[in-house]
Coordinates of all heavy atoms in Angstrom, one line a residue:
M1 N 8.6 25.5 -2.3 CA 7.2 25.8 -2.9 C 7.3 27.2 -3.6 O 7.7 28.1 -3.0 CB 6.2 25.8 -1.8 CG 4.8 26.0 -2.3 SD 3.4 26.0 -1.2 CE 3.8 25.1 0.2
R2 N 6.9 27.1 -4.8 CA 6.8 28.4 -5.6 C 5.6 29.2 -5.3 O 4.5 28.5 -5.1 CB 6.9 27.9 -7.0 CG 7.2 29.0 -7.9 CD 7.7 28.4 -9.3 NE 6.7 28.7 -10.3 CZ 6.6 28.2 -11.5 NH1 7.4 27.2 -11.8 NH2 5.7 28.6 -12.4
E3 N 5.6 30.5 -5.2 CA 4.5 31.4 -5.1 C 4.2 32.0 -6.4 O 5.1 32.5 -7.0 CB 4.7 32.4 -4.0 CG 4.9 31.6 -2.6 CD 5.0 32.7 -1.5 OE1 5.0 34.0 -1.8 OE2 5.1 32.3 -0.3
V4 N 2.9 32.1 -6.7 CA 2.4 32.9 -7.9 C 1.2 33.7 -7.5 O 0.3 33.3 -6.7 CB 2.1 31.8 -8.9 CG1 1.5 32.5 -10.2 CG2 3.2 30.9 -9.3
E5 N 1.2 34.9 -8.0 CA 0.1 35.8 -7.7 C -1.2 35.3 -8.5 O -1.1 34.8 -9.5 CB 0.3 37.3 -8.3 CG 1.2 38.1 -7.2 CD 0.3 38.5 -6.0 OE1 -0.8 38.8 -6.2 OE2 0.9 38.5 -4.9
A6 N -2.4 35.5 -7.9 CA -3.6 35.1 -8.5 C -3.9 35.5 -9.9 O -4.3 34.9 -10.8 CB -4.7 35.5 -7.5
T7 N -3.4 36.7 -10.1 CA -3.6 37.4 -11.4 C -2.6 36.6 -12.5 O -3.1 36.4 -13.7 CB -3.4 38.8 -11.5 OG1 -2.0 39.1 -10.9 CG2 -4.3 39.6 -10.7
D8 N -1.5 36.1 -12.0 CA -0.6 35.5 -12.9 C -1.2 33.9 -13.2 O -0.9 33.4 -14.3 CB 0.8 35.3 -12.3 CG 1.5 36.8 -12.3 OD1 1.1 37.6 -13.1 OD2 2.4 36.9 -11.5
V9 N -1.8 33.4 -12.2 CA -2.4 32.1 -12.3 C -3.4 32.1 -13.5 O -3.4 31.2 -14.3 CB -3.0 31.6 -11.1 CG1 -3.8 30.3 -11.2 CG2 -2.0 31.4 -10.0
E10 N -4.3 33.1 -13.5 CA -5.2 33.2 -14.6 C -4.5 33.2 -15.9 O -4.9 32.5 -16.9 CB -6.0 34.4 -14.4 CG -7.0 34.4 -13.1 CD -7.7 35.7 -13.0 OE1 -7.8 36.5 -14.0 OE2 -8.1 35.9 -11.8
A11 N -3.5 33.9 -16.1 CA -2.8 34.1 -17.3 C -1.9 32.9 -17.8 O -1.8 32.6 -18.9 CB -1.9 35.3 -17.4
R12 N -1.4 32.1 -16.7 CA -0.5 31.1 -17.0 C -0.9 29.7 -16.5 O -0.2 28.8 -16.1 CB 0.9 31.3 -16.3 CG 1.5 32.6 -16.9 CD 2.7 33.1 -16.2 NE 3.5 32.0 -15.5 CZ 4.2 32.2 -14.4 NH1 4.2 33.3 -13.8 NH2 4.9 31.1 -13.9
F13 N -2.3 29.5 -16.4 CA -2.9 28.3 -15.9 C -2.4 27.0 -16.4 O -1.9 26.1 -15.7 CB -4.4 28.4 -15.9 CG -5.0 27.3 -15.1 CD1 -4.9 27.4 -13.6 CD2 -5.8 26.3 -15.6 CE1 -5.5 26.5 -12.9 CE2 -6.4 25.3 -14.8 CZ -6.3 25.5 -13.5
A14 N -2.3 26.9 -17.8 CA -1.8 25.6 -18.5 C -0.4 25.4 -18.0 O -0.1 24.2 -17.8 CB -2.0 25.7 -19.8
E15 N 0.4 26.3 -18.1 CA 1.8 26.1 -17.7 C 2.0 25.7 -16.3 O 2.7 24.8 -15.9 CB 2.6 27.4 -17.9 CG 4.0 27.4 -17.3 CD 4.6 28.8 -17.2 OE1 4.1 29.7 -17.9 OE2 5.5 29.0 -16.4
L16 N 1.2 26.2 -15.3 CA 1.2 25.9 -13.9 C 0.7 24.5 -13.7 O 1.2 23.8 -12.9 CB 0.5 26.8 -13.2 CG 1.1 28.3 -13.1 CD1 0.2 29.3 -12.3 CD2 2.4 28.4 -12.5
L17 N -0.3 24.1 -14.5 CA -0.8 22.7 -14.3 C 0.3 21.7 -14.7 O 0.4 20.7 -14.1 CB -2.1 22.5 -15.1 CG -3.4 23.1 -14.6 CD1 -4.5 22.8 -15.6 CD2 -3.6 22.6 -13.2
K18 N 1.0 22.0 -15.8 CA 2.1 21.1 -16.1 C 3.1 21.0 -15.0 O 3.6 20.0 -14.8 CB 2.8 21.6 -17.4 CG 2.0 21.4 -18.6 CD 2.6 21.9 -19.9 CE 1.6 21.7 -21.0 NZ 2.2 22.3 -22.3
T19 N 3.4 22.1 -14.3 CA 4.4 22.1 -13.3 C 3.8 21.2 -12.1 O 4.6 20.5 -11.5 CB 4.6 23.6 -12.8 OG1 5.1 24.3 -13.9 CG2 5.6 23.6 -11.6
V20 N 2.5 21.4 -11.8 CA 2.0 20.6 -10.7 C 2.0 19.1 -11.1 O 2.2 18.3 -10.3 CB 0.5 21.1 -10.5 CG1 -0.2 20.3 -9.5 CG2 0.6 22.5 -9.8
E21 N 1.6 18.9 -12.4 CA 1.7 17.4 -12.8 C 3.1 16.8 -12.5 O 3.1 15.6 -12.3 CB 1.5 17.3 -14.3 CG 0.1 17.1 -14.8 CD -0.2 16.9 -16.2 OE1 0.5 17.6 -17.0 OE2 -0.9 16.1 -16.6
R22 N 4.2 17.5 -12.6 CA 5.5 17.1 -12.4 C 5.8 16.8 -10.8 O 6.8 16.4 -10.5 CB 6.6 18.0 -13.0 CG 6.6 17.9 -14.5 CD 7.9 18.5 -15.0 NE 7.9 20.0 -14.7 CZ 7.3 21.0 -15.4 NH1 6.8 20.8 -16.4 NH2 7.5 22.2 -14.9
G23 N 4.8 17.2 -10.0 CA 4.9 17.0 -8.5 C 5.2 18.2 -7.7 O 5.3 18.1 -6.5
E24 N 5.4 19.3 -8.4 CA 5.6 20.6 -7.6 C 4.3 21.2 -7.0 O 3.3 21.1 -7.6 CB 6.2 21.6 -8.4 CG 6.8 22.8 -7.7 CD 7.6 23.7 -8.7 OE1 8.1 23.3 -9.7 OE2 7.7 24.9 -8.3
T25 N 4.4 21.7 -5.8 CA 3.3 22.5 -5.2 C 3.4 23.9 -5.5 O 4.6 24.5 -5.3 CB 3.2 22.1 -3.7 OG1 3.0 20.7 -3.5 CG2 2.0 22.9 -3.2
I26 N 2.3 24.6 -5.8 CA 2.4 26.0 -6.1 C 1.5 26.7 -5.1 O 0.2 26.4 -5.0 CB 2.1 26.4 -7.5 CG1 3.1 25.6 -8.5 CG2 2.0 27.9 -7.7 CD1 2.7 25.8 -9.9
A27 N 1.9 27.8 -4.4 CA 1.1 28.6 -3.6 C 0.6 29.8 -4.3 O 1.3 30.5 -4.9 CB 1.9 29.1 -2.4
V28 N -0.8 30.0 -4.3 CA -1.4 31.0 -5.0 C -1.5 32.1 -4.0 O -2.1 31.9 -2.8 CB -2.7 30.6 -5.6 CG1 -3.4 31.9 -6.3 CG2 -2.6 29.5 -6.6
T29 N -1.1 33.3 -4.3 CA -1.2 34.5 -3.3 C -1.9 35.6 -3.9 O -2.1 35.7 -5.1 CB 0.2 35.0 -2.9 OG1 0.9 35.5 -4.2 CG2 1.1 33.9 -2.3
R30 N -2.5 36.5 -3.0 CA -3.2 37.6 -3.4 C -2.6 38.8 -2.4 O -2.7 38.7 -1.2 CB -4.7 37.6 -3.2 CG -5.4 38.8 -3.7 CD -6.9 38.7 -3.7 NE -7.3 37.8 -4.9 CZ -8.3 36.9 -4.8 NH1 -8.9 36.7 -3.6 NH2 -8.5 36.2 -5.8
H31 N -2.0 39.7 -3.0 CA -1.3 40.8 -2.4 C -0.3 40.1 -1.3 O -0.2 40.7 -0.2 CB -2.3 41.7 -1.6 CG -3.4 42.2 -2.5 ND1 -3.1 43.0 -3.5 CD2 -4.8 42.0 -2.6 CE1 -4.3 43.4 -4.2 NE2 -5.2 42.7 -3.7
G32 N 0.4 39.2 -1.7 CA 1.4 38.6 -0.9 C 1.0 37.6 0.2 O 1.8 37.0 0.8
R33 N -0.4 37.4 0.3 CA -1.0 36.5 1.3 C -1.4 35.2 0.6 O -2.1 35.3 -0.5 CB -2.1 37.2 2.0 CG -1.8 38.2 2.9 CD -3.0 38.7 3.7 NE -4.2 39.1 2.8 CZ -5.3 38.4 2.8 NH1 -5.7 37.5 3.7 NH2 -6.3 38.7 2.0
P34 N -0.9 34.1 1.1 CA -1.4 32.8 0.5 C -2.8 32.6 0.6 O -3.5 32.9 1.6 CB -0.7 31.7 1.3 CG 0.3 32.4 2.1 CD -0.1 33.8 2.3
I35 N -3.5 32.3 -0.5 CA -5.0 32.0 -0.4 C -5.3 30.6 -1.0 O -6.4 30.1 -0.6 CB -5.7 33.0 -1.4 CG1 -5.2 32.9 -2.9 CG2 -5.6 34.4 -0.8 CD1 -6.1 33.8 -3.8
A36 N -4.4 29.9 -1.6 CA -4.8 28.5 -2.1 C -3.3 27.8 -2.5 O -2.4 28.5 -2.7 CB -5.6 28.6 -3.3
N37 N -3.5 26.5 -2.6 CA -2.4 25.7 -3.1 C -2.8 25.0 -4.2 O -3.8 24.3 -4.2 CB -1.8 24.8 -2.0 CG -1.0 25.5 -0.9 OD1 -0.4 26.5 -1.1 ND2 -1.2 25.1 0.4
L38 N -1.9 24.8 -5.3 CA -2.2 23.9 -6.4 C -1.1 22.8 -6.1 O -0.1 22.9 -6.0 CB -1.7 24.5 -7.7 CG -2.5 25.7 -8.2 CD1 -2.0 26.2 -9.4 CD2 -4.0 25.2 -8.4
V39 N -1.8 21.5 -5.8 CA -1.0 20.4 -5.5 C -1.4 19.3 -6.3 O -2.5 19.2 -6.9 CB -1.3 20.0 -4.0 CG1 -0.8 21.0 -3.0 CG2 -2.7 19.7 -3.8
P40 N -0.5 18.3 -6.6 CA -0.7 17.1 -7.4 C -1.9 16.3 -6.8 O -2.1 16.2 -5.6 CB 0.5 16.4 -7.4 CG 1.6 17.2 -7.0 CD 0.9 18.2 -6.1
A41 N -2.7 15.7 -7.7 CA -3.8 15.0 -7.2 C -3.5 13.5 -6.8 O -4.4 12.8 -6.5 CB -5.0 15.0 -8.4
Y42 N -2.3 13.1 -7.0 CA -1.9 11.8 -6.8 C -0.9 11.8 -5.6 O -0.2 12.8 -5.3 CB -1.3 11.1 -8.0 CG -0.1 12.0 -8.6 CD1 1.2 11.8 -8.1 CD2 -0.4 12.8 -9.6 CE1 2.1 12.6 -8.7 CE2 0.6 13.7 -10.2 CZ 1.9 13.5 -9.7 OH 2.8 14.2 -10.3
L43 N -0.6 10.6 -5.1 CA 0.4 10.5 -4.1 C 1.9 10.5 -4.7 O 1.9 10.1 -5.8 CB 0.2 9.2 -3.2 CG -1.0 9.1 -2.5 CD1 -1.2 7.7 -1.9 CD2 -1.1 10.2 -1.5
P44 N 2.8 10.9 -4.1 CA 4.1 11.0 -4.7 C 4.6 9.6 -5.2 O 5.4 9.6 -6.1 CB 5.0 11.5 -3.5 CG 4.1 12.2 -2.6 CD 2.7 11.5 -2.7
D45 N 4.1 8.5 -4.6 CA 4.5 7.2 -5.0 C 4.1 6.9 -6.5 O 4.7 6.1 -7.2 CB 4.0 6.1 -4.1 CG 4.7 6.0 -2.9 OD1 5.8 6.6 -2.7 OD2 4.2 5.3 -2.0
H46 N 3.1 7.6 -7.0 CA 2.8 7.4 -8.4 C 3.8 7.9 -9.3 O 3.9 7.5 -10.5 CB 1.4 8.0 -8.7 CG 0.2 7.2 -7.9 ND1 -0.4 7.9 -7.0 CD2 -0.3 6.0 -8.1 CE1 -1.4 7.1 -6.5 NE2 -1.2 5.9 -7.2
A47 N 4.5 8.9 -8.9 CA 5.5 9.4 -9.8 C 6.7 8.6 -10.0 O 7.4 8.6 -10.9 CB 5.9 10.8 -9.2
N48 N 7.0 7.7 -8.9 CA 8.1 6.8 -8.9 C 7.6 5.4 -8.4 O 7.8 5.1 -7.2 CB 9.2 7.3 -8.0 CG 10.5 6.6 -8.1 OD1 10.6 5.6 -8.8 ND2 11.6 7.1 -7.5
P49 N 7.0 4.6 -9.3 CA 6.6 3.4 -8.8 C 7.7 2.4 -8.4 O 7.5 1.5 -7.4 CB 5.9 2.7 -10.1 CG 5.9 3.7 -11.1 CD 6.8 4.9 -10.7
A50 N 8.9 2.5 -8.8 CA 10.0 1.6 -8.4 C 10.3 1.8 -6.9 O 10.5 0.9 -6.2 CB 11.2 1.9 -9.3
A51 N 10.2 3.1 -6.5 CA 10.5 3.4 -5.1 C 9.4 2.9 -4.2 O 9.6 2.4 -3.1 CB 10.6 5.0 -5.0
A52 N 8.2 2.9 -4.7 CA 7.0 2.4 -3.9 C 7.2 0.8 -3.8 O 7.0 0.3 -2.6 CB 5.8 2.7 -4.6
V53 N 7.6 0.2 -4.8 CA 7.8 -1.3 -4.7 C 9.1 -1.6 -3.8 O 8.9 -2.4 -2.9 CB 8.1 -1.9 -6.1 CG1 8.6 -3.3 -6.0 CG2 6.9 -1.7 -7.0
D54 N 10.0 -0.8 -3.8 CA 11.2 -1.1 -2.9 C 10.7 -0.9 -1.4 O 11.1 -1.7 -0.6 CB 12.3 0.0 -3.2 CG 13.0 -0.4 -4.4 OD1 12.9 -1.6 -5.0 OD2 13.7 0.4 -5.0
R55 N 10.0 0.2 -1.1 CA 9.5 0.3 0.2 C 8.6 -0.8 0.7 O 8.7 -1.4 1.8 CB 8.8 1.7 0.4 CG 9.7 2.8 0.5 CD 8.9 4.1 1.0 NE 7.9 4.5 0.1 CZ 8.1 5.1 -1.1 NH1 9.3 5.5 -1.5 NH2 7.0 5.6 -1.7
F56 N 7.7 -1.3 -0.2 CA 6.9 -2.4 0.1 C 7.6 -3.7 0.4 O 7.4 -4.4 1.4 CB 5.9 -2.8 -1.1 CG 5.1 -4.0 -0.8 CD1 4.1 -4.1 0.1 CD2 5.5 -5.1 -1.5 CE1 3.4 -5.3 0.3 CE2 4.9 -6.3 -1.3 CZ 3.8 -6.4 -0.4
L57 N 8.7 -3.9 -0.4 CA 9.5 -5.1 -0.2 C 10.3 -5.0 1.2 O 10.5 -6.0 1.8 CB 10.5 -5.3 -1.4 CG 9.8 -5.7 -2.7 CD1 10.9 -5.7 -3.8 CD2 9.1 -7.0 -2.6
Q58 N 10.7 -3.8 1.5 CA 11.4 -3.7 2.7 C 10.5 -3.9 4.0 O 10.8 -4.5 4.9 CB 11.9 -2.2 2.9 CG 13.1 -2.0 2.0 CD 13.5 -0.5 2.0 OE1 13.0 0.3 2.6 NE2 14.7 -0.2 1.3
R59 N 9.2 -3.4 3.8 CA 8.2 -3.7 4.8 C 7.9 -5.2 5.0 O 7.8 -5.7 6.1 CB 6.9 -2.9 4.6 CG 6.9 -1.6 5.2 CD 5.6 -0.9 5.1 NE 5.7 0.1 4.1 CZ 5.0 0.4 3.1 NH1 3.8 -0.3 2.9 NH2 5.2 1.4 2.3
R60 N 7.8 -5.8 3.8 CA 7.4 -7.2 3.8 C 8.5 -8.1 4.4 O 8.2 -9.1 5.0 CB 7.2 -7.7 2.3 CG 6.6 -9.1 2.2 CD 6.3 -9.5 0.9 NE 7.5 -9.8 0.3 CZ 7.6 -10.3 -1.0 NH1 6.4 -10.6 -1.6 NH2 8.7 -10.6 -1.6
A61 N 9.7 -7.6 4.3 CA 10.8 -8.5 4.8 C 10.7 -8.6 6.4 O 11.2 -9.4 6.9 CB 12.2 -7.7 4.4
G62 N 10.0 -7.5 7.0 CA 10.0 -7.5 8.4 C 8.7 -8.3 9.0 O 8.5 -8.4 10.1
W63 N 7.9 -8.8 8.0 CA 6.7 -9.5 8.4 C 7.1 -10.9 9.1 O 8.0 -11.5 8.5 CB 5.8 -9.8 7.4 CG 5.2 -8.6 6.7 CD1 5.2 -7.3 7.2 CD2 4.3 -8.5 5.5 NE1 4.4 -6.4 6.4 CE2 4.0 -7.2 5.4 CE3 4.0 -9.4 4.6 CZ2 3.2 -6.7 4.3 CZ3 3.2 -8.9 3.4 CH2 2.8 -7.6 3.4
Q64 N 6.3 -11.3 10.1 CA 6.7 -12.6 10.6 C 5.7 -13.6 10.0 O 4.6 -13.4 9.8 CB 6.5 -12.6 12.1 CG 7.5 -11.6 12.8 CD 7.3 -11.7 14.4 OE1 6.4 -12.2 14.8 NE2 8.0 -10.7 14.9
R65 N 6.3 -14.8 9.8 CA 5.4 -16.0 9.3 C 4.6 -16.5 10.4 O 5.0 -16.6 11.6 CB 6.3 -17.0 8.7 CG 7.2 -16.5 7.6 CD 7.1 -17.4 6.4 NE 7.9 -16.9 5.3 CZ 7.4 -16.6 4.2 NH1 6.1 -16.9 4.0 NH2 8.1 -16.2 3.3
T66 N 3.5 -17.0 10.2 CA 2.6 -17.4 11.2 C 2.7 -18.9 11.4 O 2.3 -19.5 12.4 CB 1.1 -17.2 10.8 OG1 0.8 -17.9 9.5 CG2 0.7 -15.7 10.6
G67 N 3.3 -19.7 10.4 CA 3.4 -21.1 10.5 C 2.1 -21.8 10.0 O 2.1 -23.1 10.1
T68 N 1.1 -21.1 9.7 CA -0.1 -21.8 9.2 C 0.2 -22.2 7.7 O 0.5 -21.4 6.9 CB -1.3 -20.7 9.2 OG1 -1.3 -20.2 10.5 CG2 -2.6 -21.4 8.8
P69 N -0.2 -23.4 7.3 CA 0.0 -23.8 5.9 C -0.9 -23.1 5.0 O -2.0 -22.6 5.3 CB -0.5 -25.3 6.0 CG -0.5 -25.8 7.4 CD -0.7 -24.4 8.2
R70 N -0.3 -22.9 3.9 CA -1.1 -22.1 2.8 C -2.4 -22.7 2.5 O -3.4 -21.9 2.3 CB -0.1 -22.1 1.5 CG -0.8 -21.3 0.4 CD 0.1 -21.3 -0.8 NE 1.1 -20.4 -0.6 CZ 2.4 -20.7 -1.1 NH1 2.6 -21.7 -1.8 NH2 3.5 -19.9 -0.9
G71 N -2.6 -24.0 2.4 CA -3.8 -24.6 2.1 C -4.9 -24.2 3.2 O -6.1 -23.9 2.8
E72 N -4.5 -24.2 4.4 CA -5.4 -23.9 5.5 C -5.9 -22.4 5.4 O -7.0 -22.0 5.6 CB -4.8 -24.1 6.8 CG -5.8 -24.0 8.1 CD -5.0 -24.3 9.4 OE1 -4.1 -25.2 9.4 OE2 -5.4 -23.6 10.4
I73 N -5.0 -21.5 5.0 CA -5.2 -20.1 4.9 C -6.3 -19.9 3.7 O -7.3 -19.2 3.8 CB -4.1 -19.3 4.7 CG1 -3.1 -19.2 5.8 CG2 -4.4 -17.8 4.2 CD1 -1.8 -18.6 5.6
L74 N -6.0 -20.6 2.6 CA -6.9 -20.6 1.4 C -8.3 -21.1 1.9 O -9.3 -20.5 1.3 CB -6.3 -21.2 0.2 CG -5.1 -20.6 -0.3 CD1 -4.5 -21.3 -1.4 CD2 -5.3 -19.1 -0.7
E75 N -8.4 -22.2 2.5 CA -9.6 -22.8 2.8 C -10.4 -21.8 3.8 O -11.7 -21.9 3.7 CB -9.4 -24.2 3.5 CG -9.0 -25.2 2.6 CD -8.6 -26.6 3.4 OE1 -9.0 -26.6 4.5 OE2 -8.0 -27.4 2.6
S76 N -9.7 -21.0 4.6 CA -10.4 -20.2 5.6 C -11.2 -19.2 5.0 O -12.1 -18.5 5.5 CB -9.5 -19.7 6.6 OG -8.6 -18.8 6.0
R77 N -11.0 -18.9 3.6 CA -11.7 -17.8 2.9 C -13.2 -18.2 2.9 O -14.0 -17.3 2.7 CB -11.2 -17.6 1.5 CG -9.8 -17.1 1.4 CD -9.3 -16.9 -0.1 NE -9.4 -18.2 -0.7 CZ -9.2 -18.4 -2.0 NH1 -8.9 -17.4 -2.7 NH2 -9.2 -19.6 -2.6
H78 N -13.4 -19.6 2.8 CA -14.8 -20.0 2.6 C -15.5 -20.3 4.0 O -16.6 -20.8 4.0 CB -14.8 -21.2 1.8 CG -14.2 -21.0 0.4 ND1 -14.8 -20.2 -0.5 CD2 -13.1 -21.4 -0.1 CE1 -13.9 -20.1 -1.6 NE2 -12.9 -20.9 -1.3
C79 N -14.9 -19.9 5.1 CA -15.5 -20.2 6.4 C -16.7 -19.5 6.5 O -16.8 -18.2 6.3 CB -14.5 -19.9 7.5 SG -15.1 -20.1 9.1
G80 N -17.8 -20.1 6.7 CA -19.1 -19.5 7.0 C -20.0 -19.4 5.7 O -21.2 -19.0 5.7
H81 N -19.3 -19.8 4.6 CA -20.1 -19.8 3.3 C -21.1 -21.0 3.3 O -20.9 -22.0 3.8 CB -19.2 -20.0 2.0 CG -18.4 -18.8 1.8 ND1 -17.7 -18.7 0.5 CD2 -18.2 -17.6 2.4 CE1 -17.1 -17.5 0.5 NE2 -17.3 -16.9 1.6
R82 N -22.3 -20.7 2.7 CA -23.2 -21.9 2.6 C -23.0 -22.5 1.2 O -22.8 -21.8 0.2 CB -24.7 -21.3 2.5 CG -25.0 -20.8 3.9 CD -26.5 -20.3 3.9 NE -26.7 -19.9 5.3 CZ -27.9 -19.3 5.6 NH1 -28.9 -19.2 4.8 NH2 -28.2 -18.9 6.8
W83 N -23.1 -23.8 1.1 CA -22.9 -24.6 -0.1 C -24.1 -25.1 -0.5 O -25.0 -25.6 -0.3 CB -21.8 -25.6 0.0 CG -20.4 -25.0 0.4 CD1 -19.9 -24.8 1.5 CD2 -19.6 -24.3 -0.5 NE1 -18.7 -24.3 1.4 CE2 -18.5 -23.9 0.2 CE3 -19.5 -24.0 -1.9 CZ2 -17.3 -23.2 -0.3 CZ3 -18.5 -23.4 -2.4 CH2 -17.3 -23.0 -1.6

């Protein structure tokens, strides 16, 4: 994590925002003490969608099948509906 003095943040705000957009976190300090963090507003998976899909596929591979037919699952969506 990069540290930047508060006075420098004011002068280089646009540059620092671009750095944060790329996924880096920046610690804002005043007199050497951390006072705030500039962090990306999105989860890291948004930066690499392919990695997120790979993790999902790995998780899905571990799911167990219930043995319930697809038609029965789809019909159960309407359970309790009034017609």
Side-chain angles (χ1 to χ4, degrees):
M1 179 182 332
R2 195 162 114 192
E3 291 185 2
V4 179
E5 277 289 323
T7 54
D8 292 338
V9 171
E10 294 174 20
R12 301 175 26 211
F13 192 65
E15 172 195 338
L16 294 172
L17 283 181
K18 287 179 186 177
T19 302
V20 171
E21 265 185 325
R22 289 192 302 266
E24 189 175 335
T25 299
I26 297 173
V28 180
T29 61
R30 181 172 289 138
H31 307 294
R33 289 185 309 118
I35 58 170
N37 288 324
L38 295 176
V39 296
Y42 55 84
L43 297 174
D45 284 347
H46 290 113
N48 190 355
V53 170
D54 288 340
R55 279 194 303 281
F56 170 77
L57 293 175
Q58 288 173 356
R59 268 188 253 133
R60 188 177 75 172
W63 293 351
Q64 296 179 2
R65 300 225 178 241
T66 63
T68 307
R70 179 178 292 144
E72 189 176 328
I73 293 171
L74 294 175
E75 287 174 13
S76 70
R77 293 182 300 175
H78 302 294
C79 183
H81 286 191
R82 292 185 180 176
W83 297 97

